[in-house]
Amino acid sequence: MTKIINSNEELIDIDDEAQNANQQIGYAWEEEYKRSWDVLQEDEDGGLKHTVEHLQSRKRKRLERDTSIIKRGIIRHMFLIIDLSEAMLEKDLRPSRLDLTLSYAEQFILEFFDQNPISQLGVIVSKSGVAEKLMGLTGNPMDNINVLKKKNIDTDGEPSLQNALEMARSSLIHVPAHGSREILIIMGSLTSCDPGDINETIDNLVSENIRVSIVGLAAEVQICKLMCKKTKGTYGVVLNEAHFKDLLFEIIPPPPVSIVKSKSELVVMGFPRGVNESMPSLCAWYDYACIYRNAVKGISNL
Amino acid sequence: MKFFIGNLPIYFPYDKIYPEQYSYMVDLKKAIDAGGHCLLEMPSGTGKTVSLLSLIVAIQANYKEKRKLIYCSRTVPEIEKALAELRNLIEYRTKCGEKDEYLGIGLTSRKNLCINSSVNQEKWGKVVDARCRNLTASWIREKSKLYSPGEVPLCNFYEKMENDNERQRMLIPDGVYTLEELREYGKEQGHCPYYMARRTIPFANAVIYSYHYLLDPKVAELVSKELSKDCIVVFDEAHNIDNVCIESLSIDITKPNLDASAKSIAKLRDVIEDIKKKDSQRLRDEYDKLVEGLMAASQERDEDVYLSNPILPEDLSHEAVPGNIRQAEHFVAFLRRFVEYLKTRMRAQQVVAESPMSFLQNCREVTLIERQPLRFCSQRLTSLVRTLELSDLNDYYALHKVAAFATLVATYEAGFMLILEPFENDTIPNPIFHYACLDASIAIKPIFRRFKTVVITSGTLSPLDMYPKILNFQAAVQESYSMTLTRNCFLPLVVTRGSDQVAISSKFEVRNDPAVVRNFGQILVEFSKIVPDGIVAFFPSYLYMESIVAMWNDMGILNEAWKHKLIFVETPDAAETSLALENYRKACDNGRGAILLSVARGKVSEGIDFDHNYGRAVIMFGVPYQYTESRILKARLEFLRENYRIRESDFLTFDAMRHAAQCVGRVLRGKTDYGLMIFSDKRFARADKRNKLPRWLNQFITDACTNLSTDMALVTAKKFLRTMAQPFERDQLGVWSVEDVERQERSNVGVGGRAAQFN
């Protein structure tokens, strides 16, 4: 018995709509309210102590960390890299990621020089696949703040982590060994448009003792996590505006210095010293003059 | 840690244990003690394998009867992982002072194990097999003895093993060998790892290999014939087991197959003529042997048999080969007639579906070929190939396929269907003869019957009562476990409409509607903005994926997505896909981010893990139903309805949902991992679809996230990703230490009385 299959045989209805017609599926707005004050749980005595403690615990933890006795390097050389990609236009942080970042960056710079008076800071921005140095390493907070205040800061395309890092690295290579070398990145984008292999850049950063810390504004990106881990920096992703500030300001206290690594040589500063060159040179004074100037500035900041 | 379940001391190689691991062991022990089969569902990545191995090894060590563990997994990396886990466990037991003499071995194809540099260069598994046989077949080794050494190429590793074997009983020292270590050991000793593994199987305490070695009758007979009754058989990742069973007994014959067979037959005839002139004694010997019914020249077959009988051992008739095909030339003529008959059938212009019985009847009317000789076709061909001492067996592949087809058709009546499709896509003439097995229980029946305990386990087996039905067995224990998580590390979201409130669905009527396609595209673009690193997207079929991607391209959606992530596409071509995968991983690693578009039943959805940054989100575009117009599927659905009373829609939904669960499960391969699971189809919101998802998945689908529009889903997803990015404090919440386990054990004993004593 050979059966010829008729091609327009009844289709098997896999989408049995009627079956569930009488089944109620609630809309989101029909659901129960989620009340934020429900988070506050009273304990047996009707107090809120426990909950409040829990909320404060993180803040306290940060403060506690500061009290331990470790040697800290107060001469820091840091580049602040700010992502100016299109992702910074998102408004999930009020007023927008960009505005908030710029205003926090300003506060950060002031606070940074307040706590690290003889350090230097520079600013790099990255957009549409290139990096741009707005300000080289300088000891004057107003220089940095002024470049960020300029109106021409606009966003475009994707950032390039590698370009920005390389730019910062090329400037940081030359700083003397007694100061720390650091990079802080504020990153709103989840992608990076790189010309080459970023892993090589990371390896270079590791070998040159440059510490990279990143504050992410959206989500955890693997390469950032890896980079911070390798270079012994910190990586945080912001939850809200306040948390953003917390994360940013965590970078401000001077980082501990491992005693083995740092050559604990005395740094000459404050007074110029006559050096007798046997051969005439272009600028035998320059280095010392720089340190002198910075030191004076540092003192005036205090 | 060490603890007791009943009286059984169990060593668990970690300090902490999850409650579900503990209950998994308890249930498994119950099933083994009761001597029944069991069906256990627990998400992978939560230590399923280690729980299973710890318990079974404990049973092996403490029970009087030495039961062997047969552990079947799906892919080579999974086998490798299981072996590593087993070795870890045995090392831990040794450290704790248990003196086990334990031999664990893995087996995989020659392609993965061969260490002969002249052979293992080959790309295709089949070619490696053929080359290996050309070096190791018994007649070639016989021949080499006649000539001076070096004239007939042989495999040094195989020869050395044979020589050593003759001198002393060859045994690998106790221990657990991963595949790589097996190769290393083989290299060290100069032995062939493949044959070493195969010969060790009878002595090993644990054997880990692929499903096919047990389920596919062609292979099972060679490898797994001598396993004793009290083995504990485990099928891991078994959610697809019914398809494996069906595939192992189904054969597709195409026109090129028939042409190649006709050629092979002509060649065979020439060889026979040739031998008749030179060495007619050999053919006569074979004839005599066949008359006596002494088919099994058992010690030779180990190396020589190449494509053995496709039917299951118990269905093999014990009669001698019928008279009309005993003579070699008669048999060849017989084959030619059969091939010609198939060719004429293929000229049909209509789709034909018939039962094996009607096929046989028609065959008899037209060609006078009886059922009995057809049944012995495969066996007879194997014998002939051996007698003629043919090398290059690869050339005879098509003929073997036809012979296997003949044997199967003549052996089985119920549960099979012959379908002839003369056209591909209803237009291109490309006739295919499908011999389709409809009943998954046929292939697995001997396993359930032979072994006392068969464990079927996977991350996705829901709904649990479906498997006992379609595989036709009684489960002593069937259980699904929820998942204890230290944090909610995955977030299932059901997106039912786009931001413009148009309902989205891959339903046939609306799937190509521009509004739906645009909304699907919108989901992809928006999620590519907020999800870091890798996104995997699954479509129901290649066809649908192609049409959607083309439409996205026209709409400019791809360009939009490109800004945020690179896009890779899975294709049916394995090499292309693995290249795409490699680059996908690279893009995920270096921060560029990538999207992989793949297909729910493709290679990617089954064997490849997207852990951590390789898959932060998985998007299901549509419900992955099978292609319901397929005639084979229709026949199977009809069969299931008539024989097992499973409604068509039930089976289709079950099948779609297990694939969906499998796809989304790809992103979560451990408890430190996290990921988004986005089901974008309005049909996912229905209760009948959702309750077919595994329990561990269902427990995290809250009402709040079952009926979302794209923008609502985005807000939830953003928050989730931020929360997950916070430093993970391992406050081992919900994890048990030894004391907890002991407390639980005491309460079990208190409630259920003394656990079963040792036998």
Side-chain angles (χ1 to χ4, degrees), chain B residues 675-699:
Chain B
L676 285 163
M677 298 171 173
I678 298 145
F679 298 92
S680 57
D681 193 309
K682 73 167 195 231
R683 291 173 290 178
F684 280 120
R686 293 217 205 103
D688 72 317
K689 305 280 184 303
R690 259 194 298 146
N691 60 25
K692 288 197 168 66
L693 285 172
R695 191 168 147 198
W696 58 269
L697 198 58
N698 237 334
Q699 95 194 79

PDB file of all heavy atoms in Angstrom, chain B residues 675-699:
ATOM      1  N   GLY B 675      25.109  36.091  32.773  1.00  0.00           N
ATOM      2  CA  GLY B 675      24.662  36.379  31.423  1.00  0.00           C
ATOM      3  C   GLY B 675      23.186  36.686  31.343  1.00  0.00           C
ATOM      4  O   GLY B 675      22.414  36.320  32.225  1.00  0.00           O
ATOM      5  N   LEU B 676      22.839  37.375  30.275  1.00  0.00           N
ATOM      6  CA  LEU B 676      21.438  37.677  30.000  1.00  0.00           C
ATOM      7  C   LEU B 676      20.872  36.602  29.085  1.00  0.00           C
ATOM      8  O   LEU B 676      21.575  36.114  28.210  1.00  0.00           O
ATOM      9  CB  LEU B 676      21.328  39.009  29.256  1.00  0.00           C
ATOM     10  CG  LEU B 676      21.520  40.303  30.006  1.00  0.00           C
ATOM     11  CD1 LEU B 676      21.775  41.410  29.005  1.00  0.00           C
ATOM     12  CD2 LEU B 676      20.281  40.598  30.801  1.00  0.00           C
ATOM     13  N   MET B 677      19.622  36.243  29.292  1.00  0.00           N
ATOM     14  CA  MET B 677      18.982  35.311  28.363  1.00  0.00           C
ATOM     15  C   MET B 677      17.728  35.991  27.843  1.00  0.00           C
ATOM     16  O   MET B 677      16.802  36.246  28.604  1.00  0.00           O
ATOM     17  CB  MET B 677      18.610  34.029  29.085  1.00  0.00           C
ATOM     18  CG  MET B 677      19.807  33.304  29.647  1.00  0.00           C
ATOM     19  SD  MET B 677      19.305  31.954  30.682  1.00  0.00           S
ATOM     20  CE  MET B 677      20.900  31.210  31.003  1.00  0.00           C
ATOM     21  N   ILE B 678      17.721  36.298  26.573  1.00  0.00           N
ATOM     22  CA  ILE B 678      16.602  37.064  26.040  1.00  0.00           C
ATOM     23  C   ILE B 678      15.794  36.193  25.097  1.00  0.00           C
ATOM     24  O   ILE B 678      16.301  35.715  24.087  1.00  0.00           O
ATOM     25  CB  ILE B 678      17.111  38.320  25.311  1.00  0.00           C
ATOM     26  CG1 ILE B 678      17.847  39.197  26.314  1.00  0.00           C
ATOM     27  CG2 ILE B 678      15.968  39.089  24.703  1.00  0.00           C
ATOM     28  CD1 ILE B 678      19.007  39.913  25.749  1.00  0.00           C
ATOM     29  N   PHE B 679      14.566  35.936  25.464  1.00  0.00           N
ATOM     30  CA  PHE B 679      13.666  35.169  24.617  1.00  0.00           C
ATOM     31  C   PHE B 679      12.785  36.169  23.883  1.00  0.00           C
ATOM     32  O   PHE B 679      11.921  36.787  24.490  1.00  0.00           O
ATOM     33  CB  PHE B 679      12.774  34.264  25.462  1.00  0.00           C
ATOM     34  CG  PHE B 679      13.522  33.246  26.268  1.00  0.00           C
ATOM     35  CD1 PHE B 679      13.919  33.515  27.554  1.00  0.00           C
ATOM     36  CD2 PHE B 679      13.800  32.007  25.739  1.00  0.00           C
ATOM     37  CE1 PHE B 679      14.590  32.569  28.302  1.00  0.00           C
ATOM     38  CE2 PHE B 679      14.468  31.057  26.476  1.00  0.00           C
ATOM     39  CZ  PHE B 679      14.873  31.337  27.761  1.00  0.00           C
ATOM     40  N   SER B 680      13.029  36.348  22.596  1.00  0.00           N
ATOM     41  CA  SER B 680      12.215  37.355  21.942  1.00  0.00           C
ATOM     42  C   SER B 680      11.235  36.688  20.999  1.00  0.00           C
ATOM     43  O   SER B 680      11.554  36.351  19.873  1.00  0.00           O
ATOM     44  CB  SER B 680      13.096  38.362  21.210  1.00  0.00           C
ATOM     45  OG  SER B 680      13.896  37.710  20.292  1.00  0.00           O
ATOM     46  N   ASP B 681      10.087  36.458  21.491  1.00  0.00           N
ATOM     47  CA  ASP B 681       8.957  35.952  20.728  1.00  0.00           C
ATOM     48  C   ASP B 681       7.784  36.028  21.674  1.00  0.00           C
ATOM     49  O   ASP B 681       7.920  35.712  22.851  1.00  0.00           O
ATOM     50  CB  ASP B 681       9.189  34.499  20.301  1.00  0.00           C
ATOM     51  CG  ASP B 681       8.176  34.068  19.255  1.00  0.00           C
ATOM     52  OD1 ASP B 681       6.971  34.257  19.503  1.00  0.00           O
ATOM     53  OD2 ASP B 681       8.578  33.577  18.203  1.00  0.00           O
ATOM     54  N   LYS B 682       6.638  36.433  21.153  1.00  0.00           N
ATOM     55  CA  LYS B 682       5.538  36.585  22.099  1.00  0.00           C
ATOM     56  C   LYS B 682       5.081  35.233  22.611  1.00  0.00           C
ATOM     57  O   LYS B 682       4.476  35.125  23.667  1.00  0.00           O
ATOM     58  CB  LYS B 682       4.399  37.360  21.469  1.00  0.00           C
ATOM     59  CG  LYS B 682       3.617  36.602  20.437  1.00  0.00           C
ATOM     60  CD  LYS B 682       2.336  37.327  20.104  1.00  0.00           C
ATOM     61  CE  LYS B 682       1.417  36.413  19.367  1.00  0.00           C
ATOM     62  NZ  LYS B 682       0.835  36.766  18.183  1.00  0.00           N
ATOM     63  N   ARG B 683       5.398  34.170  21.868  1.00  0.00           N
ATOM     64  CA  ARG B 683       4.926  32.861  22.306  1.00  0.00           C
ATOM     65  C   ARG B 683       5.663  32.349  23.538  1.00  0.00           C
ATOM     66  O   ARG B 683       5.180  31.477  24.239  1.00  0.00           O
ATOM     67  CB  ARG B 683       5.061  31.861  21.157  1.00  0.00           C
ATOM     68  CG  ARG B 683       4.092  32.172  20.036  1.00  0.00           C
ATOM     69  CD  ARG B 683       4.336  31.301  18.847  1.00  0.00           C
ATOM     70  NE  ARG B 683       5.582  31.647  18.170  1.00  0.00           N
ATOM     71  CZ  ARG B 683       6.041  30.992  17.122  1.00  0.00           C
ATOM     72  NH1 ARG B 683       5.391  29.969  16.637  1.00  0.00           N
ATOM     73  NH2 ARG B 683       7.160  31.365  16.557  1.00  0.00           N
ATOM     74  N   PHE B 684       6.847  32.885  23.789  1.00  0.00           N
ATOM     75  CA  PHE B 684       7.576  32.455  24.988  1.00  0.00           C
ATOM     76  C   PHE B 684       6.863  32.872  26.266  1.00  0.00           C
ATOM     77  O   PHE B 684       7.117  32.324  27.327  1.00  0.00           O
ATOM     78  CB  PHE B 684       8.978  33.056  25.009  1.00  0.00           C
ATOM     79  CG  PHE B 684       9.956  32.340  24.146  1.00  0.00           C
ATOM     80  CD1 PHE B 684      10.602  32.976  23.110  1.00  0.00           C
ATOM     81  CD2 PHE B 684      10.261  31.011  24.387  1.00  0.00           C
ATOM     82  CE1 PHE B 684      11.508  32.319  22.313  1.00  0.00           C
ATOM     83  CE2 PHE B 684      11.180  30.340  23.600  1.00  0.00           C
ATOM     84  CZ  PHE B 684      11.808  30.998  22.564  1.00  0.00           C
ATOM     85  N   ALA B 685       5.993  33.880  26.158  1.00  0.00           N
ATOM     86  CA  ALA B 685       5.338  34.367  27.366  1.00  0.00           C
ATOM     87  C   ALA B 685       4.257  33.410  27.841  1.00  0.00           C
ATOM     88  O   ALA B 685       3.794  33.500  28.972  1.00  0.00           O
ATOM     89  CB  ALA B 685       4.731  35.734  27.098  1.00  0.00           C
ATOM     90  N   ARG B 686       3.862  32.489  26.970  1.00  0.00           N
ATOM     91  CA  ARG B 686       2.763  31.604  27.361  1.00  0.00           C
ATOM     92  C   ARG B 686       3.213  30.551  28.352  1.00  0.00           C
ATOM     93  O   ARG B 686       4.311  30.048  28.297  1.00  0.00           O
ATOM     94  CB  ARG B 686       2.248  30.886  26.127  1.00  0.00           C
ATOM     95  CG  ARG B 686       1.607  31.833  25.203  1.00  0.00           C
ATOM     96  CD  ARG B 686       0.423  31.176  24.573  1.00  0.00           C
ATOM     97  NE  ARG B 686       0.198  31.849  23.322  1.00  0.00           N
ATOM     98  CZ  ARG B 686       0.544  31.328  22.165  1.00  0.00           C
ATOM     99  NH1 ARG B 686       1.096  30.135  22.115  1.00  0.00           N
ATOM    100  NH2 ARG B 686       0.329  31.989  21.074  1.00  0.00           N
ATOM    101  N   ALA B 687       2.287  30.209  29.205  1.00  0.00           N
ATOM    102  CA  ALA B 687       2.634  29.258  30.258  1.00  0.00           C
ATOM    103  C   ALA B 687       2.996  27.893  29.675  1.00  0.00           C
ATOM    104  O   ALA B 687       3.877  27.216  30.181  1.00  0.00           O
ATOM    105  CB  ALA B 687       1.481  29.132  31.227  1.00  0.00           C
ATOM    106  N   ASP B 688       2.336  27.481  28.589  1.00  0.00           N
ATOM    107  CA  ASP B 688       2.613  26.131  28.075  1.00  0.00           C
ATOM    108  C   ASP B 688       4.020  26.023  27.516  1.00  0.00           C
ATOM    109  O   ASP B 688       4.599  24.942  27.473  1.00  0.00           O
ATOM    110  CB  ASP B 688       1.584  25.730  27.020  1.00  0.00           C
ATOM    111  CG  ASP B 688       1.776  26.497  25.726  1.00  0.00           C
ATOM    112  OD1 ASP B 688       2.005  27.712  25.814  1.00  0.00           O
ATOM    113  OD2 ASP B 688       1.709  25.881  24.651  1.00  0.00           O
ATOM    114  N   LYS B 689       4.585  27.157  27.062  1.00  0.00           N
ATOM    115  CA  LYS B 689       5.969  27.112  26.608  1.00  0.00           C
ATOM    116  C   LYS B 689       6.903  27.168  27.806  1.00  0.00           C
ATOM    117  O   LYS B 689       7.872  26.428  27.894  1.00  0.00           O
ATOM    118  CB  LYS B 689       6.283  28.311  25.709  1.00  0.00           C
ATOM    119  CG  LYS B 689       5.363  28.471  24.531  1.00  0.00           C
ATOM    120  CD  LYS B 689       5.767  27.540  23.418  1.00  0.00           C
ATOM    121  CE  LYS B 689       4.895  27.752  22.179  1.00  0.00           C
ATOM    122  NZ  LYS B 689       3.454  27.584  22.422  1.00  0.00           N
ATOM    123  N   ARG B 690       6.547  28.063  28.714  1.00  0.00           N
ATOM    124  CA  ARG B 690       7.473  28.292  29.811  1.00  0.00           C
ATOM    125  C   ARG B 690       7.607  27.091  30.727  1.00  0.00           C
ATOM    126  O   ARG B 690       8.686  26.788  31.204  1.00  0.00           O
ATOM    127  CB  ARG B 690       7.028  29.506  30.616  1.00  0.00           C
ATOM    128  CG  ARG B 690       7.833  30.732  30.265  1.00  0.00           C
ATOM    129  CD  ARG B 690       7.627  31.797  31.267  1.00  0.00           C
ATOM    130  NE  ARG B 690       6.231  32.207  31.303  1.00  0.00           N
ATOM    131  CZ  ARG B 690       5.626  32.595  32.409  1.00  0.00           C
ATOM    132  NH1 ARG B 690       6.280  32.605  33.540  1.00  0.00           N
ATOM    133  NH2 ARG B 690       4.372  32.971  32.386  1.00  0.00           N
ATOM    134  N   ASN B 691       6.502  26.381  30.960  1.00  0.00           N
ATOM    135  CA  ASN B 691       6.646  25.276  31.902  1.00  0.00           C
ATOM    136  C   ASN B 691       7.326  24.069  31.280  1.00  0.00           C
ATOM    137  O   ASN B 691       7.526  23.051  31.935  1.00  0.00           O
ATOM    138  CB  ASN B 691       5.315  24.908  32.560  1.00  0.00           C
ATOM    139  CG  ASN B 691       4.291  24.485  31.542  1.00  0.00           C
ATOM    140  OD1 ASN B 691       4.637  24.031  30.458  1.00  0.00           O
ATOM    141  ND2 ASN B 691       3.038  24.649  31.880  1.00  0.00           N
ATOM    142  N   LYS B 692       7.709  24.186  30.023  1.00  0.00           N
ATOM    143  CA  LYS B 692       8.537  23.128  29.441  1.00  0.00           C
ATOM    144  C   LYS B 692      10.021  23.450  29.575  1.00  0.00           C
ATOM    145  O   LYS B 692      10.866  22.679  29.151  1.00  0.00           O
ATOM    146  CB  LYS B 692       8.161  22.910  27.988  1.00  0.00           C
ATOM    147  CG  LYS B 692       6.813  22.218  27.833  1.00  0.00           C
ATOM    148  CD  LYS B 692       6.627  21.632  26.466  1.00  0.00           C
ATOM    149  CE  LYS B 692       5.428  20.708  26.387  1.00  0.00           C
ATOM    150  NZ  LYS B 692       4.138  21.379  26.571  1.00  0.00           N
ATOM    151  N   LEU B 693      10.321  24.583  30.135  1.00  0.00           N
ATOM    152  CA  LEU B 693      11.731  24.902  30.380  1.00  0.00           C
ATOM    153  C   LEU B 693      12.200  24.177  31.636  1.00  0.00           C
ATOM    154  O   LEU B 693      11.404  23.874  32.520  1.00  0.00           O
ATOM    155  CB  LEU B 693      11.895  26.406  30.565  1.00  0.00           C
ATOM    156  CG  LEU B 693      11.815  27.266  29.312  1.00  0.00           C
ATOM    157  CD1 LEU B 693      11.797  28.723  29.688  1.00  0.00           C
ATOM    158  CD2 LEU B 693      12.972  26.984  28.390  1.00  0.00           C
ATOM    159  N   PRO B 694      13.501  23.899  31.725  1.00  0.00           N
ATOM    160  CA  PRO B 694      14.005  23.225  32.918  1.00  0.00           C
ATOM    161  C   PRO B 694      13.718  24.026  34.194  1.00  0.00           C
ATOM    162  O   PRO B 694      13.587  25.244  34.145  1.00  0.00           O
ATOM    163  CB  PRO B 694      15.504  23.135  32.684  1.00  0.00           C
ATOM    164  CG  PRO B 694      15.694  23.369  31.260  1.00  0.00           C
ATOM    165  CD  PRO B 694      14.537  24.124  30.744  1.00  0.00           C
ATOM    166  N   ARG B 695      13.657  23.300  35.266  1.00  0.00           N
ATOM    167  CA  ARG B 695      13.275  23.930  36.520  1.00  0.00           C
ATOM    168  C   ARG B 695      14.266  25.001  36.952  1.00  0.00           C
ATOM    169  O   ARG B 695      13.868  26.068  37.418  1.00  0.00           O
ATOM    170  CB  ARG B 695      13.191  22.831  37.596  1.00  0.00           C
ATOM    171  CG  ARG B 695      12.566  23.312  38.847  1.00  0.00           C
ATOM    172  CD  ARG B 695      12.253  22.137  39.723  1.00  0.00           C
ATOM    173  NE  ARG B 695      12.389  22.534  41.110  1.00  0.00           N
ATOM    174  CZ  ARG B 695      12.518  21.687  42.095  1.00  0.00           C
ATOM    175  NH1 ARG B 695      12.547  20.392  41.853  1.00  0.00           N
ATOM    176  NH2 ARG B 695      12.629  22.120  43.320  1.00  0.00           N
ATOM    177  N   TRP B 696      15.545  24.724  36.772  1.00  0.00           N
ATOM    178  CA  TRP B 696      16.549  25.706  37.227  1.00  0.00           C
ATOM    179  C   TRP B 696      16.433  27.005  36.457  1.00  0.00           C
ATOM    180  O   TRP B 696      16.771  28.071  36.948  1.00  0.00           O
ATOM    181  CB  TRP B 696      17.958  25.130  37.110  1.00  0.00           C
ATOM    182  CG  TRP B 696      18.359  24.702  35.745  1.00  0.00           C
ATOM    183  CD1 TRP B 696      18.200  23.465  35.206  1.00  0.00           C
ATOM    184  CD2 TRP B 696      18.994  25.484  34.734  1.00  0.00           C
ATOM    185  NE1 TRP B 696      18.676  23.431  33.924  1.00  0.00           N
ATOM    186  CE2 TRP B 696      19.175  24.655  33.614  1.00  0.00           C
ATOM    187  CE3 TRP B 696      19.425  26.798  34.648  1.00  0.00           C
ATOM    188  CZ2 TRP B 696      19.769  25.094  32.437  1.00  0.00           C
ATOM    189  CZ3 TRP B 696      20.009  27.231  33.478  1.00  0.00           C
ATOM    190  CH2 TRP B 696      20.176  26.388  32.403  1.00  0.00           C
ATOM    191  N   LEU B 697      15.926  26.921  35.223  1.00  0.00           N
ATOM    192  CA  LEU B 697      15.758  28.126  34.427  1.00  0.00           C
ATOM    193  C   LEU B 697      14.459  28.817  34.819  1.00  0.00           C
ATOM    194  O   LEU B 697      14.389  30.028  34.974  1.00  0.00           O
ATOM    195  CB  LEU B 697      15.728  27.733  32.955  1.00  0.00           C
ATOM    196  CG  LEU B 697      15.977  28.799  31.918  1.00  0.00           C
ATOM    197  CD1 LEU B 697      17.314  29.442  32.122  1.00  0.00           C
ATOM    198  CD2 LEU B 697      15.914  28.176  30.543  1.00  0.00           C
ATOM    199  N   ASN B 698      13.429  27.996  34.987  1.00  0.00           N
ATOM    200  CA  ASN B 698      12.111  28.520  35.284  1.00  0.00           C
ATOM    201  C   ASN B 698      12.064  29.247  36.617  1.00  0.00           C
ATOM    202  O   ASN B 698      11.319  30.203  36.783  1.00  0.00           O
ATOM    203  CB  ASN B 698      11.114  27.369  35.318  1.00  0.00           C
ATOM    204  CG  ASN B 698       9.999  27.621  34.342  1.00  0.00           C
ATOM    205  OD1 ASN B 698       9.705  28.774  34.034  1.00  0.00           O
ATOM    206  ND2 ASN B 698       9.383  26.577  33.863  1.00  0.00           N
ATOM    207  N   GLN B 699      12.872  28.793  37.550  1.00  0.00           N
ATOM    208  CA  GLN B 699      12.805  29.380  38.877  1.00  0.00           C
ATOM    209  C   GLN B 699      13.239  30.836  38.874  1.00  0.00           C
ATOM    210  O   GLN B 699      12.912  31.581  39.787  1.00  0.00           O
ATOM    211  CB  GLN B 699      13.626  28.545  39.871  1.00  0.00           C
ATOM    212  CG  GLN B 699      15.033  29.034  40.100  1.00  0.00           C
ATOM    213  CD  GLN B 699      15.891  28.002  40.796  1.00  0.00           C
ATOM    214  OE1 GLN B 699      16.379  27.067  40.197  1.00  0.00           O
ATOM    215  NE2 GLN B 699      16.081  28.176  42.084  1.00  0.00           N
TER     216      GLN B 699
END
